[in-house]
Structure formats: structure tokens, C-alpha cells
Amino acid sequence: MSPCALLRLFRFPSPSSLFISNFNPLNRASINTLSTRKQFRSYNKTMTSSMSSSPNTTNDPPQLSDQLPKITAPYGSWSSPITADVVTGASKRLGGTAVTANGHLIWLESRPTESGRGVLVKESVKEGDEPCDITPKEFSVRNTTQEYGGGAFTVAGDIVVFSNYSDQRLYKQSLNSDLSPQALTPDYGGRSVSYADGVFDSRFNRFITVQEDGRQSSLNPITTIVSVELDGKDINEPKVLVGGNDFYAFPRVDPKGERIAWIEWGHPNMPWDKSELWVGYLSENGEVYKRVCVAGGDPKLVESPTEPKWSAQGELYFITDRQTGFWNLYKWFEANNEVAPIYSLSAEFSRPLWVFGTNSYDLLKTGDGRNIIVCSYRQRGRSYLGVLDETQSSLSLLDIPFTDIENIALGSDCIYVEGSSGLHPSSIAKVTLNERSLEVVGFTIIWSSSPDILKFKSYFSLPEFIEFPTEVPGQNAYAYFYPPSNPKYQASPNEKPPLLLKSHGGPTAETRGNLNPSIQYWTSRGWGYVDVNYGGSTGYGREYRERLLRQWGIVDVNDCCSCARFLVESGKVDGEQLCITGGSAGGYTTLAALAFRDTFKAGASLYGIADLRLLRADTHKFESHYIDNLVGNEKDYFDRSPINFVDKFSCPIILFQGLEDKVVLPNQSRKIYNALKEKGLPVALVEYEGEQHGFRKAENIKFTLEQQMMFFARTVGRFQVADAINPLKIDNFD
């Protein structure tokens, strides 16, 4: 056992974390997937369901025969080749895509093996060649705007403008030369000013972007839409074009440079609660001289417009959830300032604006004059890719193996799709359509977060979408259940597996049924795993999302407990071996479930919230009023904070915390740790130096994953872990 494993309070020093914040919200960093740069073979259009198909690789090992006798061993004790090193060894995540003038794809990936550095990568020109890095080694592409960033780079022609993590300045880089990137914004001596979600304005040779300026107050920075000069002769202060509200996103300039659209919202709303879409008219000197509210300004309509986009003809499209409660596509008619739906469906064509740069649809140019929109939407737990013919008001589904789609980008003759499925890790696929743009004729994965994981596919547990009853009569919630799966092992017939229930972050977020090696780490060792979309999750419309208003700490906790009981009553898991885990807001639900319910036997909180009052007082501007709508009055803040009811905890808990976390400050984890230690409950706290909200370094991700497994195995106590893992010391247990 290493010396540090003997300490009760663990700290792992590491260099500054440089990572693309991708998602999500008070969550936002789950243990993710490994990757190497390899290309997969093309798929043809006959490949339909990713739940029944998977890509062939040139070096897939032979699958284990179903005829081989299985070893009988207790659940949780099975040996698996999907080790923590496999899960974390070369993990990469996507931070957005864009297409160059010559049609080549650019993507942003983070690399935990390089301390989370964000690197822009260019698609190979010739088939079979390796993609090439664009970002020089002294740079890291990542922004910190609204804490979670996103929209950290923009490509126009052969020029890319990106945000550099260390100083948060914008830089311009030519994709056709070896010249070092050129700074565009002033050096403020730190990261107090950041930029996100920018676009090029060719009419005035400038870059228009969202600016967050924290020079006067880091807790209450000023957010505006500004213009940045691109000529490179002088570095001047950005010029404010739009300001006065708390938040802005999606500044988008029309093709002629005469109008600019944007989204704005103010406290206490989050952008998915209520926002507004505006259009501003640009004068001859580039200033906004007239403004029109397109959507969100009618007090009789509660809506949250998002993702404005101009067509080549200067028509404005966007997504909103007015009247139906589902984010659907709309169009603005400028002459009378009216909007109309393009196609109505009880499905979500967008997702909540936790990070900048979302691109759920795009406008396809056709030779026959049709208005074609390539779009993705989400319905009952899965994503779909479709082609919407505006003229005929018809939606045609495109047959691809992804069941989860994040973003799309139009190439010169194809669609680039960020997606995944139960058998596909996070990937980028090149999708080619026929002449009518109604049918897939080619599907090629050009980047995968985890191509090597497919050699373990005989171990994969496929997600089962389940709908279960909640404590409210007639009201159901949703989850993905992953049963134990290992071709070499089986348990005795009368045994039920232990369950690890995951409560996602946000809490206004959504878990998705895609291939995540960290889940397979558990299921291949004989665990059942369930990922819950409790009431308040997105992906199911506004009504479902608003179940959590004034009910955070109640609805989410009840739904997680109801899901666990449902699986026990269905005979799928052992009711005496129920464990719960979650990060940030998911960590809060975990702690609240352990304090106020007796369903679970042990829990793990990753950078979780213990004190709602502290969260409100300490958190950053973007979420500073978020929980006002989720909690309620002062009594609710006290009554729903687990730290105030330590006497109600009755089972072991392990806590993991980054010391540079600005969303959930380290004192929350320390406070719950000290209280549980004093009470005499088995407890452990791990603190990581250099980590922020979520763990981005491979060694820390690995340690967190393994120690959760060991903690549950030791404290729940019915099996021995097959892996050789040095267990950390548990207070009041060892």
C-alpha cells in the first residue's frame, strides 16, 4: 500500500487542469472513455439499429463462444478486461466541430494524458492518413465563459479563431501556414475576461462574440456581445454591440452583415426557463441601431427560444418551446414580426444551454430550390436524424446506427454527426445522402473516443430503456438499466446482483443510453447499473422538466428511490446491495437520498452539494439564482441540505473533490466528511489538487473509479473484487 493510501484525507497534486467543459451542468464531468486515433470502415445504408449492429474493425479478436462453460462466481467478483486503465488510459472528449472552406472537418478534443489540454484536430485529406493537430503545443483551446465554456473556436474559410485557456485571450490562426497564432484581444494578466460562441462578420472584417468580463467582480461578471477587430494591426479593447442583460448567447450575423440575431435572458431565469430572441439592425459603421424582439417577449407566452440561424437567403430560423412545451423549429417573418412553426412534434429539437456552441440543425443547400433542414431531435430516450422539407412540411428519418446525437455540421457533400449508441462510443460520423437528400448512402466513422473498446464487445451490457412509476400516482419517470454481462461468468441461480444507481448532474440535464466504458467497468464485473432521468431531466419536454421546480431534493430523490425499488421488485437486483453515486447536483441527490431515505446501503458523492445555502452564496453568476427556482424559501434551503441532518445518515459514504472547483467549493465536501467522521460512520474523502468541477486527469479518473468499486465492495461486503487495487483507508471502518 502506498504511503498516501494511509492518509485519511487524500490529496493528489497535479498540474493545472486544461479541459474542454462539455456539458453539462452541475455535473458535467463523468468518468468517460478512452480513445486512440483510428478510422473505422464505412458502413452502408443497410445498417439500421445500433442496438443490433456494430462496426467491424480490422483487428477485432474472435468472440468467445457461447458454448464455453461459464465460471460460477458471486456478482461483483467477476474478472474483466475492461479495467480502469482501459477506461481512463487515453480518454478524449469532443468540444465541437466545424468545417473548413475546402470541406475538411475540424474538431476539438481534450486529452487527459496532456493534463486535459484542448487540441484542434484536422481531418486527414487522404483516406487512411492520420488526422493532424492544428493547435501548437504551447496553446490549449478552452474557454471558461459561464464556467462551463463551449463554443471555444470558430472556423471561416481557412482561418480559425480560438480561445486559449491560460490567458482566455482570442487568437487567430491560419490553417494554411505554420505561423504562430496571433492574439486578437488584450492581455489582462489572467483569465478575468473570456469569450465564447463567436462568428465572423465579413462586412466589417471583425469577429462578434459573447464576452464575460470579470475584472470588476469575479462573482458577478458583466456579459455582453462585442466585436473584435481581425486585421491584426493593433490589439484594441473589444467594442460592445449589445449589453444590459445578465446573459447572452448565439450571436449570429446574416449573410449580408445587415442584421444580427442573439439570445438573451436574465436572473432568476435559466435559458431553458425563459429567454428572448432578438434581432438587431447594423448601421454603416457596424453598430446596432434598432432592435426587434422576435420571440420570448410576450408575457402571455412562456418560452425559451434558442439556436437562431440565418439561411443563405437571409431568413431567420430558430427553435423554441412555445405552447407545446417541446423545442421545435420555427421561422421568423420579418415584415410583420411574426413567427410560425415549421414542423410540430412532441420531441426536443434542441437541448438546454449549459455550454455554448450547440448546433442541433443546419440549413442544406439544394440544387432544386427546396428549403431543406437537416436536424436531430430526441424522443422517449433516443435521438433521431432527419431531413425536414419546409416546402412540403415533411420529415424524413435518416437511417444511421447512432441512437444519441449531440451536434451536426454540414460538409461540402455530407453531414458530420457527433453521436453514439449502446454499441458505439462517442464518435464523429460522415453521413452521405443521395441526390434527393432523403436517404443515407454512406456512413463512415472518422473519429471515435474509444475505438479499441470494441474488442471487448462480447462483455457489453446494452442499455434497457425503462419506464417506472413514481410516488405520484399515474406519473412515470425514465432510466437506462444495464444488467450484468460477462461471457466468462455467471452467478448462482438464486443470487441477485448488486446495483449502482447513477444520479446525473444538472439537475436540469439528461443521461443518455450510450456506450460508456465506465459503466461497462461495473457491469462486466457483475454489477447492475441504472442511470436515472428523474423528474426535472431534459429530453422529455417542459412539463417533465418543470417537475423539479421548488421540488429539488424531493422529486429527484423520490424518483431515484422509486427506480431502485422498481428494479428490486422486478427481480433484477438485490435489495440489500443498493448503492448510489452522482456528481455535483447528482452528488447532492446522492447525499439527500442517503440522509432522508433508507433505500441505499452506501453512496459516493463526486464534488457533490451538501449545503444548499453555501451553494447559493458561493457559486458563479450563471447559476447564482438557478436554485432559487428549484428550492423555494429559506426553510426549504435548510430542510433539504443534508449537512443539517447528519444524524439521519446511517450508511457508509465516500467523497471526491477537486480543490479548484468554483461551482461547488471544497468546503462542502470537507464539512460533510468531518460531520460523518465525528458521528462514527464509515467515511473517506479524496481531494485532488489541480482539478476543477469534475475530474479531467487520467490518474484521478482511474483512482476515483477503482476506489468507488473497492469502497462499495468492502462496506456492502458480500464479494471480493477481482482486481488488484490498494484500498484507501476508511475512517471508522479500518
Side-chain angles (χ1 to χ4, degrees), residues 9 31 89 167 491 575 671 716:
L9 187 63
I31 299 170
D167 55 15
K671 193 173 180 181
V716 174

Side-chain angles (χ1 to χ4, degrees), residues 320-597:
T320 192
D321 60 347
R322 61 168 55 190
Q323 296 176 329
T324 67
F326 288 92
W327 276 312
N328 281 194
L329 282 157
Y330 281 72
K331 184 178 180 179
W332 178 49
F333 295 91
E334 183 177 13
N336 52 7
N337 190 26
E338 292 183 354
V339 302
I342 297 173
Y343 189 86
S344 296
L345 189 67
S346 295
E348 300 280 50
F349 283 76
S350 188
R351 59 184 186 273
L353 201 163
W354 279 108
V355 297
F356 293 97
T358 301
N359 198 51
S360 305
Y361 73 102
D362 219 327
L363 308 171
L364 187 66
K365 297 178 182 178
T366 63
D368 55 9
R370 292 179 298 147
N371 290 331
I372 298 296
I373 302 172
V374 179
C375 55
S376 62
Y377 66 89
R378 196 149 178 84
Q379 190 175 51
R380 285 191 61 79
R382 70 162 290 166
S383 298
Y384 299 87
L385 184 67
V387 173
L388 180 57
D389 189 323
E390 182 186 353
T391 306
Q392 299 182 4
S393 189
S394 62
L395 180 64
S396 303
L397 294 183
L398 298 176
D399 191 8
I400 65 172
F402 289 162
T403 57
D404 180 20
I405 297 171
E406 287 288 332
N407 293 302
I408 62 176
L410 291 184
S412 55
D413 59 353
C414 66
I415 307 166
Y416 293 103
V417 180
E418 297 177 34
S420 58
S421 77
L423 283 171
H424 298 78
S426 176
S427 308
I428 304 174
K430 183 177 183 179
V431 180
T432 308
L433 306 182
N434 64 1
E435 292 182 357
R436 293 284 297 170
S437 302
L438 296 176
E439 188 177 355
V440 176
V441 296
F443 181 92
T444 307
I445 291 183
I446 61 173
W447 180 90
S448 173
S449 62
S450 309
D452 285 351
I453 197 67
L454 295 174
K455 66 186 177 184
F456 305 118
K457 71 182 175 186
S458 64
Y459 290 82
F460 289 173
S461 175
L462 297 182
E464 301 173 8
F465 181 76
I466 62 172
E467 184 174 354
F468 60 90
T470 70
E471 291 196 359
V472 178
Q475 194 177 84
N476 293 344
Y478 310 97
Y480 299 96
F481 176 65
Y482 300 79
S485 178
N486 189 312
K488 291 185 176 181
Y489 288 90
Q490 63 182 5
S492 60
N494 60 346
E495 186 183 357
K496 302 296 182 185
L499 175 73
L500 181 60
L501 183 143
K502 168 72 177 299
S503 173
H504 69 67
T508 312
E510 178 190 5
T511 188
R512 301 185 175 204
N514 48 24
L515 178 59
N516 186 337
S518 68
I519 294 177
Q520 305 301 324
Y521 174 85
W522 294 89
T523 56
S524 63
R525 284 164 174 75
W527 280 75
Y529 192 106
V530 65
D531 220 345
V532 183
N533 275 319
Y534 48 78
S537 302
T538 50
Y540 301 90
R542 179 180 283 270
E543 182 179 347
Y544 192 84
R545 194 166 70 240
E546 290 184 345
R547 286 185 188 179
L548 210 59
L549 294 181
R550 302 292 189 271
Q551 296 295 308
W552 189 29
I554 297 176
V555 167
D556 50 321
V557 171
N558 286 343
D559 286 358
C560 286
C561 294
S562 294
C563 182
R565 288 195 299 267
F566 174 79
L567 292 172
V568 172
E569 293 166 1
S570 301
K572 294 181 180 295
V573 299
D574 183 356
E576 296 301 314
Q577 297 188 80
L578 302 179
C579 301
I580 184 171
T581 186
S584 191
Y588 165 70
T589 301
T590 294
L591 293 173
L594 296 174
F596 305 129
R597 305 291 187 278

Side-chain angles (χ1 to χ4, degrees), residues 200-402:
F200 288 85
D201 180 3
S202 58
R203 179 186 174 192
F204 296 101
N205 190 32
R206 61 185 181 176
F207 190 72
I208 297 179
T209 180
V210 175
Q211 176 186 269
E212 186 177 76
D213 187 347
R215 284 176 290 177
Q216 295 182 8
S217 171
S218 60
L219 288 178
N220 189 31
I222 299 171
T223 305
T224 53
I225 296 175
V226 301
S227 65
V228 177
E229 297 174 8
L230 284 172
D231 57 24
K233 296 178 182 178
D234 298 301
I235 298 178
N236 298 314
E237 284 283 336
K239 183 179 180 180
V240 175
L241 298 178
V242 181
N245 213 332
D246 292 312
F247 303 100
Y248 295 91
F250 293 109
R252 298 294 183 261
V253 180
D254 76 6
K256 294 183 179 180
E258 297 175 346
R259 296 166 296 176
I260 177 175
W262 69 86
I263 299 294
E264 65 177 64
W265 68 98
H267 289 315
N269 294 309
M270 298 300 283
W272 51 84
D273 295 326
K274 193 177 189 305
S275 59
E276 297 174 353
L277 167 60
W278 287 77
V279 169
Y281 294 82
L282 298 172
S283 65
E284 291 300 321
N285 62 1
E287 295 181 349
V288 176
Y289 70 91
K290 176 185 174 183
R291 304 182 187 188
V292 175
C293 185
V294 173
D298 187 345
K300 298 187 296 294
L301 283 176
V302 178
E303 62 178 323
S304 50
T306 186
E307 292 197 62
K309 196 181 300 288
W310 297 97
S311 71
Q313 294 76 32
E315 300 169 304
L316 180 63
Y317 295 81
F318 64 100
I319 295 173
T320 192
D321 60 347
R322 61 168 55 190
Q323 296 176 329
T324 67
F326 288 92
W327 276 312
N328 281 194
L329 282 157
Y330 281 72
K331 184 178 180 179
W332 178 49
F333 295 91
E334 183 177 13
N336 52 7
N337 190 26
E338 292 183 354
V339 302
I342 297 173
Y343 189 86
S344 296
L345 189 67
S346 295
E348 300 280 50
F349 283 76
S350 188
R351 59 184 186 273
L353 201 163
W354 279 108
V355 297
F356 293 97
T358 301
N359 198 51
S360 305
Y361 73 102
D362 219 327
L363 308 171
L364 187 66
K365 297 178 182 178
T366 63
D368 55 9
R370 292 179 298 147
N371 290 331
I372 298 296
I373 302 172
V374 179
C375 55
S376 62
Y377 66 89
R378 196 149 178 84
Q379 190 175 51
R380 285 191 61 79
R382 70 162 290 166
S383 298
Y384 299 87
L385 184 67
V387 173
L388 180 57
D389 189 323
E390 182 186 353
T391 306
Q392 299 182 4
S393 189
S394 62
L395 180 64
S396 303
L397 294 183
L398 298 176
D399 191 8
I400 65 172
F402 289 162

